[in-house]
Amino acid sequence: MEYKTIEDLGNLSGKVVMLRADLNVPMDENFHVTNNARIVRTVPTIKLLKSKGAKVVVVSHFGRPEGKGDMKNSLSHIVKDLEKALGLKVVFVDDCIGEKVETAIKALKDDEVLLLENLRFYNEEKKGDEKFAEELVKPVDVYVSDAFSTAHRAHASMVAAAKLRPAAMGLLMAEEVNALSKGLNDPKRPLMAIVGGSKVSTKLDLLNNLVKKVNKLVISGGMAHTFMKASGIDTVNENNSLVQMDMIETAKEIMKTAEANHCEIILPQDVVVAKEFKPMAEHKTVDLEHIPAEGWSLLDVGEKSIELINRKMDECKTLVWNGPLGVFEMKPFDNATNKVAEHAAELTSDNKLTTVAGGGDTVSALANAGVENKFTYISTAGGAFLEWMEGKELPGVVVLKK
Ligand code: AMP
């Protein structure tokens, strides 16, 4: 591995290790954690560090605080959940820098873990301030990061702090980086990408990177309509679809780059049109020549498209996926997303396909399809996953290179 891992840190016995985690979990209005996945996924790294005799100090951001003392965004709300997941006592300090922290570290017992208050209570965190990073790491010997989901941000705790102490990736970050590398950096080919979602304009960097790297690119969802229009399918217009007229030229350029790079673009062959934008709306599947010009919206792709995508997928060894194929939040317009996801899951379980997915709505779309545990890897990192798919270097990962 080209990145530093905990093994590279040598003997940690008696050392104070700062673990930059992502404990930004969803919470209800009574401050109860509604999904503890991020907490649970941090546990193996904490346990590994503890087993090596380290004193562990956990730091994280949480929500969007408006400065210090914004109790709504205090990490104190997650103490109980972290204790439960770890099976260890968690000591909480209501600050992330200063004397209180130093005292608590000195008093920390072997069967305890220290959790510090929200890093973003200090504006310096987001600014990547080096002085703040110095304060942060002052009482610790070693730095470990597991916050892949924040790795696209050069925040103080993500980059500056890592430069000030011997630093490494935690198990979670290493797992994520490894899985993502198998998806795009060093994939088994042929490699297919599926990109769906609503608008082309939000996925330009993504598409421009993918056409240079993948062998087959499926474009679906609302954004496919701009590509359909650009390739001469005339009944798709702004009234019945998400066609972005100002993106037609860009779509044509992307298709040209794809051709130059021998990347096959796979567009919908048929679409599901609905009378209204609501669940169970009156709908029908039509071929491209029969898309109604008025009165219907294009909400999903049809069986011919599903069949084409699945047969092309059969020829591939790796799949990376971002964005639903249709309006998956409303039945039955989740049909194509579900069927393609099920097929990908089957190929994965037969060891024929490596499947990596992530970014924003993709996680919920694949959960809705019931495949969340059946892909090789589903990343819960939204922005960081997208930037990685866009081919960008993530500062919070780069800083941990060997
Ligand atoms: P994104 O955040 O860009 O990945 O977009 C995800 C959103 O795209 C989801 O909320 C889907 O409902 C939406 N979407 C997918 N296909 C369509 C479509 N044909 N028309 C409108 N919205 C769509």
Side-chain angles (χ1 to χ4, degrees):
M1 184 145 173
E2 61 180 305
Y3 299 98
K4 290 178 277 187
T5 64
I6 290 174
E7 294 312 312
D8 298 313
L9 293 173
N11 184 3
L12 292 178
S13 181
K15 296 256 170 79
V16 182
V17 179
M18 175 164 278
L19 175 64
R20 174 45 162 114
D22 175 4
L23 299 174
N24 189 21
V25 288
M27 219 171 251
D28 65 19
E29 58 285 1
N30 298 316
F31 305 116
H32 292 138
V33 175
T34 51
N35 181 338
N36 70 350
R38 284 187 161 151
I39 295 176
V40 171
R41 293 182 78 193
T42 309
V43 168
T45 302
I46 300 181
K47 289 209 160 146
L48 177 64
L49 293 169
K50 295 284 300 164
S51 75
K52 289 178 175 288
K55 283 190 171 193
V56 182
V57 182
V58 183
V59 291
S60 175
H61 67 285
F62 184 65
R64 294 173 190 270
E66 286 156 18
K68 232 173 149 183
D70 173 3
M71 280 311 286
K72 185 166 97 257
N73 289 302
S74 169
L75 273 168
S76 60
H77 302 305
I78 71 142
V79 168
K80 288 273 164 300
D81 290 80
L82 183 58
E83 280 187 339
K84 200 167 152 211
L86 268 175
L88 290 174
K89 179 161 191 268
V90 173
V91 177
F92 179 74
V93 175
D94 64 357
D95 208 336
C96 59
I97 54 173
E99 246 172 62
K100 271 189 208 170
V101 177
E102 288 171 36
T103 314
I105 291 176
K106 283 193 192 115
L108 199 66
K109 302 199 185 87
D110 275 353
D111 56 351
E112 294 175 341
V113 166
L114 191 63
L115 174 67
L116 305 184
E117 184 55 288
N118 194 348
L119 293 161
R120 290 195 191 161
F121 277 7
Y122 289 89
N123 291 330
E124 289 87 344
E125 162 66 358
K126 278 193 167 183
K127 289 185 191 144
D129 189 276
E130 282 179 24
K131 289 230 161 54
F132 175 69
E134 273 169 27
E135 287 289 309
L136 196 63
V137 298
K138 201 165 135 202
V140 309
D141 304 305
V142 175
Y143 168 94
V144 172
S145 178
D146 251 350
F148 180 80
S149 46
T150 322
H152 56 313
R153 311 261 185 239
H155 293 170
S157 70
M158 295 300 304
V159 177
K163 290 181 181 162
L164 294 168
R165 291 288 180 275
M169 286 182 173
L171 297 174
L172 179 56
M173 168 100 81
E175 179 191 33
E176 189 107 28
V177 168
N178 258 332
L180 300 197
S181 300
K182 275 189 209 141
L184 267 190
N185 305 31
D186 187 21
K188 283 194 216 139
R189 290 178 183 271
L191 165 62
M192 171 186 267
I194 296 180
V195 180
S198 47
K199 293 192 166 176
V200 179
S201 50
T202 59
K203 303 222 170 156
L204 280 180
D205 287 348
L206 182 68
L207 293 167
N208 273 319
N209 183 42
L210 290 177
V211 289
K212 291 180 205 135
K213 287 198 174 149
V214 309
N215 305 97
K216 297 177 201 294
L217 174 62
V218 174
I219 302 179
S220 191
M223 56 185 293
H225 307 151
T226 305
F227 281 87
M228 286 152 75
K229 184 87 181 169
S231 51
I233 295 161
D234 219 20
T235 46
V236 187
N237 61 48
E238 285 164 287
N239 300 325
N240 64 359
S241 65
L242 287 173
V243 169
Q244 291 180 281
M245 294 306 290
D246 54 340
M247 285 285 140
I248 300 279
E249 280 316 305
T250 313
K252 284 185 182 164
E253 268 166 40
I254 291 173
M255 290 194 282
K256 258 194 227 153
T257 316
E259 206 179 332
N261 287 279
H262 309 290
C263 165
E264 179 186 2
I265 291 200
I266 298 156
L267 290 176
Q269 302 297 300
D270 55 355
V271 288
V272 179
V273 295
K275 270 273 174 205
E276 288 170 277
F277 193 87
K278 65 171 199 193
M280 305 312 288
E282 182 189 341
H283 61 278
K284 58 184 181 182
T285 303
V286 292
D287 286 336
L288 302 184
E289 337 39 288
H290 299 115
I291 299 173
E294 301 286 335
W296 298 75
S297 308
L298 279 62
L299 298 190
D300 199 8
V301 298
E303 297 297 329
K304 274 191 201 165
S305 310
I306 297 170
E307 181 63 18
L308 175 70
I309 297 168
N310 286 350
R311 292 299 71 80
K312 295 280 180 185
M313 195 190 293
D314 290 338
E315 298 165 14
C316 293
K317 292 216 165 73
T318 307
L319 169 70
V320 288
W321 187 340
N322 169 262
L325 304 191
V327 185
F328 76 96
E329 298 95 333
M330 307 192 301
K331 284 198 183 314
F333 310 109
D334 57 350
N335 181 54
T337 305
N338 293 350
K339 286 195 173 146
V340 172
E342 280 160 20
H343 189 64
E346 252 168 56
L347 293 173
T348 310
S349 78
D350 292 346
N351 281 326
K352 290 181 180 153
L353 188 71
T354 300
T355 41
V356 179
D361 283 332
T362 314
V363 182
S364 9
L366 296 181
N368 180 59
V371 302
E372 68 267 55
N373 298 317
K374 297 180 182 167
F375 271 40
T376 313
Y377 197 78
I378 297 183
S379 170
T380 49
F385 180 87
L386 276 179
E387 290 203 14
W388 165 80
M389 251 180 121
E390 286 164 5
K392 294 183 182 149
E393 288 211 305
L394 310 182
V397 173
V398 172
V399 75
L400 302 172
K401 268 194 180 160
K402 270 187 182 162

